[in-house]
Amino acid sequence: MTKLINSIDRSLRSRAEQVIPGGMWGHMSTRYLGDAYPQFFARSEGCRLWDVDGNEYVDLMCSWGPIVLGHHHPAVEDAARRQRERGDSMNGPGDVLVELAELMVDTVPHADWVMFQKNGTDATTACVTLARAGTGRRKVLVARGSYHGAVPWCTPSLAGVTTEDRAHLIHFDYNDVQSLEEAVDQAGSDLAAIIVTAFRHDIGRDQEMPTAGFAQRARQLCDLQGAALIVDDVRAGFRIDLGGSWEPLGVRPDLSAWSKAIANGHPLAAVTGSDRFREAATKVYVTGSFWCGAVAMAAAVATIKTLRDTQAIAHMRDMGQRLRTGMEALASRHDLKLRQTGPAQMPMVLFEGDPSFEKAALFCASALRNGAYFHPKHNMFLSAAHAPADVDRILAAAEAGFAAVAREAAAG
Amino acid sequence: MTKLINSIDRSLRSRAEQVIPGGMWGHMSTRYLGDAYPQFFARSEGCRLWDVDGNEYVDLMCSWGPIVLGHHHPAVEDAARRQRERGDSMNGPGDVLVELAELMVDTVPHADWVMFQKNGTDATTACVTLARAGTGRRKVLVARGSYHGAVPWCTPSLAGVTTEDRAHLIHFDYNDVQSLEEAVDQAGSDLAAIIVTAFRHDIGRDQEMPTAGFAQRARQLCDLQGAALIVDDVRAGFRIDLGGSWEPLGVRPDLSAWSKAIANGHPLAAVTGSDRFREAATKVYVTGSFWCGAVAMAAAVATIKTLRDTQAIAHMRDMGQRLRTGMEALASRHDLKLRQTGPAQMPMVLFEGDPSFEKAALFCASALRNGAYFHPKHNMFLSAAHAPADVDRILAAAEAGFAAVAREAAAG
């Protein structure tokens, strides 16, 4: 097993401890990942990352989703560079806004219109606000444990959150029609929206695809009650179906939130909506200083066209399946049981009998030292830049991880 | 008077009407600015912009604040390019995060720590949440009419906003000590924070610098009550004083929100805070997919160092003063009275006796046709790229604007 060099990372961490609370904030903090994980990165290319100490990883996180075509994708970066030479933040948008808006409306069947933001949270919050403005109602139904962003109405930590910030949320269980119906009853005539993630991708538990029955019933209930169906496609968008992740189910939302992969790592988010909410969208005031940045929009046009004109999504699925099959075979050989769930291109890998994620931590630390960047309890992401040889490289690192878990099990 | 060509802009607008609600959202919509204003821009350089029809403007909006050194500033763009070649969105931040965090803490006297976001609204919302987490209280005092962002707790439009979103806000009047004291009394033992903009820069009214008495009393009340003083420096930050806009008053906040000019147009925001709120900052969960983007951070390091190592702020003030003096002289010559308020580098120009901004609209349309981009009722922005000749070019365009207003007054 290779020993990682991490002296530069350690030095940066101790400097960061002085000037950043806890050394790092949010989902990219390695605080919960153990000492093996590097906090700081020096370089990226395709599906590979190098940490500040020069250790190389074949990556399975894709920057937690945004990198869908691979780092430094030529078509995306060329489009970004050409726009950058003209202008980025100006007194209004570039003409690329119209090109991108038309492309989104052409690509997403439920979309009659689109608006752009910077964060996934901007998009989910705008969807909820639009639904309230369009219906004149207040109650929003949210699945227990679903992540929809990091502002008071939805953030997972209650620190600094008041009761009123969540006064009009009613919870249901994902994929549970009865609990959804009960929540709809509870909202009564005040039901503004049902918001659902594209599939169940809560941290630390098996992923679940939405059942057709659940999705159809959600659509039907919104139609019956005059409420908005919102699909939060921030995490899954552009990896499952370019038309939206519920498109294969034949269920179309009224509003969708998009971000992460929309511009292959350039900061952008979007809300798409149906004509029913167009007027509401002219009344709600949402804006941000950089929302018209033309470079991210040019990158998004190139990203979406590349996804559309290539077999990128099918390729990611194939590579995810190659990983899944390989992982299953390796685990079996070590008499270890895995639960691999969700779409193959957004894999979640959990160990059976591992409630505290100790096996996962051991596996990941070992795989990391052998050059593959796994996450122990968050779903991961394939990109179009993952070739079969990269997946095989990941599997070779995983073999070391499984061996470490098996040794520990034998010792215990 | 030159006739603007705007056929490409018109064509883009009608396409945009189809795919974007109202054709454009937020503060960059020209809906309220009249037909003279171009909606879409093709190119920018220094303090100049070109719209999609090729019309050139000497700019006074600086992209509504972000452009503080001028478009395509070489030091900023070189730093951004060098970082981009290494990596932007990765699985964690680049080492540039630590460099930028240390630079912010070194530059801002009240800052013991910093966290980064993407939107000004992210920063103001985080400040409020941090204040609540750190104090265990709920009430936040906000000046009537102050703009702190565009999410339900603070957005100027009430469409889609519920009463509960603002349940714990109490209003006072900016620069009015008595109204502030009354609001503090009303909050009682539940006072979490007082949030104030750097100066009063509400749309459509005279700007007001904070009086020393008001600023000192706000600080004192927060100290007495154990609440947080939050300065929202999103709009004014990096143009008044690099240490924070209340630094010249000798009043230091507990928390500050920054954005706009922090990276000369690259998307970034920041919260700085004192040690008192450091622990709270480790508990509040705020994050975003692109908040660790290394390119914007590299651009911020270059922007802040350039501002620090040059006379940029003094230069902007001088250019603003040159504009102000010139505007006053021109207006007088036409027997027009102006109200020019606020810091010279963030000018607000209003006409006396113009409650509906009709004179302003006429002035701006005419100045625009003559190659200067003014705003009729929002504060404007100088940048370090504005040379005396650029200001004189603006004044030449303004002369046409004043003449148009004077003619209309004579005709009326």
Side-chain angles (χ1 to χ4, degrees):
Chain A
M1 196 179 293
T2 324
K3 175 97 179 74
L4 279 179
I5 298 163
N6 64 3
S7 57
I8 301 176
D9 195 71
R10 293 210 165 267
S11 155
L12 285 166
R13 280 185 205 224
S14 61
R15 286 165 59 194
E17 282 284 341
Q18 303 301 309
V19 289
I20 296 166
M24 186 57 202
W25 67 86
H27 66 293
M28 286 190 176
S29 169
T30 56
R31 216 183 309 173
Y32 309 105
L33 288 176
D35 279 349
Y37 279 84
Q39 180 66 78
F40 296 95
F41 290 88
R43 192 158 71 85
S44 59
E45 194 62 45
C47 65
R48 311 230 162 192
L49 286 174
W50 289 261
D51 68 25
V52 287
D53 289 285
N55 301 295
E56 178 180 336
Y57 309 97
V58 186
D59 183 31
L60 275 174
M61 286 308 284
C62 293
S63 309
W64 298 68
I67 303 300
V68 67
L69 295 172
H71 291 274
H72 293 115
H73 186 271
V76 176
E77 293 313 307
D78 283 355
R81 180 185 46 73
R82 283 194 303 273
Q83 181 61 53
R84 191 180 301 117
E85 286 169 0
R86 295 171 63 201
D88 184 13
S89 276
M90 298 185 276
N91 288 3
D95 41 282
V96 69
L97 165 62
V98 180
E99 187 184 0
L100 176 59
E102 288 174 343
L103 181 61
M104 285 288 287
V105 167
D106 283 348
T107 306
V108 178
H110 77 258
D112 294 315
W113 53 263
V114 59
M115 294 164 76
F116 297 98
Q117 307 83 27
K118 281 289 158 199
N119 302 310
T121 305
D122 298 340
T124 56
T125 302
C127 283
V128 166
T129 311
L130 279 162
R132 286 178 172 146
T135 60
R137 304 172 186 175
R138 300 173 300 174
K139 300 298 176 194
V140 174
L141 276 42
V142 183
R144 265 177 213 95
S146 281
Y147 180 79
H148 292 295
V151 286
W153 77 266
C154 55
T155 186
S157 161
L158 289 178
V161 172
T162 69
T163 308
E164 287 75 7
D165 289 322
R166 300 174 181 214
H168 296 298
L169 302 186
I170 298 174
H171 288 93
F172 64 91
D173 293 315
Y174 201 102
N175 265 345
D176 181 334
V177 168
Q178 192 186 330
S179 87
L180 181 64
E181 288 170 345
E182 285 165 7
V184 168
D185 283 348
Q186 197 184 326
S189 60
D190 203 15
L191 180 67
I194 299 173
I195 183 169
V196 281
T197 52
F199 59 93
R200 189 171 187 172
H201 47 52
D202 312 348
I203 196 163
R205 52 160 292 147
D206 297 334
Q207 299 192 113
E208 281 178 45
M209 298 309 289
T211 64
F214 173 73
Q216 284 158 9
R217 186 65 177 142
R219 177 69 273 173
Q220 191 178 38
L221 288 165
C222 285
D223 291 339
L224 285 167
Q225 304 293 320
L229 177 63
I230 304 170
V231 169
D232 174 354
D233 228 339
V234 168
R235 198 183 299 178
F238 306 99
R239 273 195 173 80
I240 308 291
D241 187 303
L242 276 192
S245 297
W246 278 29
E247 198 57 25
L249 296 164
V251 174
R252 292 186 176 160
D254 300 293
L255 297 164
S256 273
W258 310 77
S259 183
K260 291 207 178 277
I262 190 169
N264 199 45
H266 291 261
L268 197 68
V271 171
T272 51
S274 65
D275 271 332
R276 200 179 139 218
F277 288 88
R278 187 188 283 262
E279 197 195 337
T282 65
K283 291 182 179 160
V284 164
Y285 190 77
V286 284
T287 199
S289 294
F290 308 109
W291 289 12
C292 286
V295 169
M297 292 187 185
V301 169
T303 301
I304 296 169
K305 284 186 176 172
T306 302
L307 288 166
R308 184 193 64 189
D309 299 341
T310 65
Q311 297 300 311
I313 290 181
H315 174 77
M316 285 186 265
R317 193 182 299 120
D318 290 348
M319 292 302 100
Q321 197 51 57
R322 185 183 185 95
L323 177 71
R324 187 163 285 184
T325 306
M327 290 287 282
E328 187 56 38
L330 292 176
S332 288
R333 208 177 304 160
H334 288 284
D335 278 329
L336 295 166
K337 280 200 172 149
L338 296 182
R339 298 199 311 268
Q340 301 195 78
T341 53
Q345 61 271 48
M346 293 176 65
M348 175 72 97
V349 180
L350 298 173
F351 285 87
E352 275 291 1
D354 190 32
S356 313
F357 303 97
E358 287 165 10
K359 290 179 190 171
L362 192 58
F363 169 85
C364 285
S366 177
L368 199 75
R369 278 190 293 266
N370 284 276
Y373 194 106
F374 281 84
H375 195 287
K377 53 180 166 178
H378 192 281
N379 76 272
M380 297 174 282
F381 301 87
L382 275 294
S383 78
H386 285 83
D390 298 309
V391 175
D392 295 346
R393 179 77 196 72
I394 293 170
L395 289 169
E399 163 59 22
F402 288 124
V405 175
R407 264 196 311 277
E408 181 79 10
Chain B
M1 194 179 297
T2 323
K3 175 94 179 75
L4 279 179
I5 297 163
N6 63 4
S7 57
I8 300 176
D9 196 71
R10 292 210 166 265
S11 154
L12 286 167
R13 281 187 205 222
S14 60
R15 285 166 57 194
E17 281 284 342
Q18 303 300 310
V19 289
I20 296 166
M24 186 58 201
W25 67 86
H27 67 293
M28 287 190 175
S29 168
T30 56
R31 216 183 309 173
Y32 309 107
L33 288 176
D35 279 348
Y37 279 83
Q39 180 65 78
F40 296 95
F41 290 87
R43 191 156 73 85
S44 60
E45 193 63 45
C47 65
R48 310 229 163 192
L49 286 174
W50 289 262
D51 67 25
V52 286
D53 289 285
N55 301 296
E56 177 179 337
Y57 309 97
V58 187
D59 183 30
L60 274 173
M61 285 308 284
C62 293
S63 310
W64 298 68
I67 303 299
V68 69
L69 295 172
H71 291 274
H72 293 114
H73 186 271
V76 176
E77 293 313 306
D78 283 356
R81 180 185 47 73
R82 283 195 304 274
Q83 180 61 52
R84 191 179 302 117
E85 286 168 0
R86 295 170 63 202
D88 184 13
S89 277
M90 298 184 278
N91 287 4
D95 40 282
V96 68
L97 165 62
V98 180
E99 187 184 0
L100 176 59
E102 289 174 343
L103 181 60
M104 285 288 286
V105 167
D106 283 350
T107 306
V108 177
H110 77 259
D112 294 316
W113 54 261
V114 60
M115 295 164 76
F116 297 98
Q117 306 84 27
K118 282 288 156 198
N119 302 311
T121 305
D122 298 340
T124 57
T125 302
C127 283
V128 166
T129 311
L130 279 162
R132 286 179 173 144
T135 60
R137 304 171 185 176
R138 300 174 299 175
K139 302 297 177 194
V140 175
L141 275 44
V142 183
R144 265 178 213 96
S146 281
Y147 180 78
H148 292 295
V151 286
W153 77 266
C154 56
T155 186
S157 161
L158 289 177
V161 172
T162 69
T163 309
E164 286 76 7
D165 289 322
R166 300 175 180 215
H168 296 297
L169 302 186
I170 299 174
H171 289 92
F172 63 91
D173 294 315
Y174 201 101
N175 264 345
D176 180 335
V177 168
Q178 191 187 328
S179 87
L180 181 64
E181 288 170 344
E182 285 165 6
V184 168
D185 283 348
Q186 198 184 326
S189 60
D190 202 15
L191 181 67
I194 299 173
I195 183 168
V196 281
T197 52
F199 59 93
R200 187 171 189 172
H201 47 52
D202 312 347
I203 196 162
R205 53 160 292 145
D206 296 335
Q207 300 191 114
E208 281 178 46
M209 298 308 288
T211 63
F214 173 73
Q216 285 158 11
R217 187 62 177 144
R219 177 70 273 172
Q220 190 178 39
L221 288 165
C222 286
D223 291 339
L224 284 168
Q225 304 294 322
L229 177 62
I230 303 170
V231 169
D232 174 354
D233 228 341
V234 168
R235 199 183 300 177
F238 307 99
R239 273 197 172 80
I240 309 291
D241 187 303
L242 277 192
S245 296
W246 278 30
E247 198 57 24
L249 296 163
V251 175
R252 291 184 177 161
D254 300 291
L255 297 164
S256 273
W258 310 78
S259 182
K260 291 205 177 278
I262 190 170
N264 199 44
H266 291 261
L268 196 68
V271 171
T272 51
S274 65
D275 271 332
R276 200 180 139 217
F277 288 88
R278 187 188 284 261
E279 197 195 336
T282 65
K283 291 181 179 160
V284 164
Y285 189 77
V286 284
T287 198
S289 295
F290 309 108
W291 289 12
C292 285
V295 169
M297 292 187 186
V301 168
T303 301
I304 296 168
K305 285 187 175 172
T306 303
L307 288 167
R308 183 193 65 189
D309 299 342
T310 64
Q311 297 299 311
I313 291 181
H315 174 78
M316 285 186 265
R317 193 182 299 119
D318 289 348
M319 292 303 100
Q321 197 51 58
R322 185 185 186 96
L323 177 71
R324 187 164 285 185
T325 306
M327 290 286 282
E328 186 57 39
L330 292 176
S332 289
R333 208 178 303 160
H334 288 284
D335 279 328
L336 295 166
K337 280 200 174 149
L338 296 182
R339 298 197 312 267
Q340 301 194 79
T341 53
Q345 61 270 49
M346 293 176 65
M348 175 72 97
V349 181
L350 298 173
F351 284 86
E352 275 291 1
D354 190 32
S356 314
F357 303 97
E358 286 165 12
K359 290 177 189 170
L362 191 59
F363 170 85
C364 286
S366 177
L368 198 74
R369 279 189 293 267
N370 285 275
Y373 194 108
F374 280 85
H375 195 288
K377 52 181 166 176
H378 191 281
N379 76 271
M380 297 174 281
F381 301 87
L382 276 292
S383 79
H386 285 83
D390 298 309
V391 174
D392 294 346
R393 180 76 195 75
I394 293 169
L395 290 169
E399 163 60 22
F402 288 124
V405 174
R407 265 196 310 276
E408 182 78 10

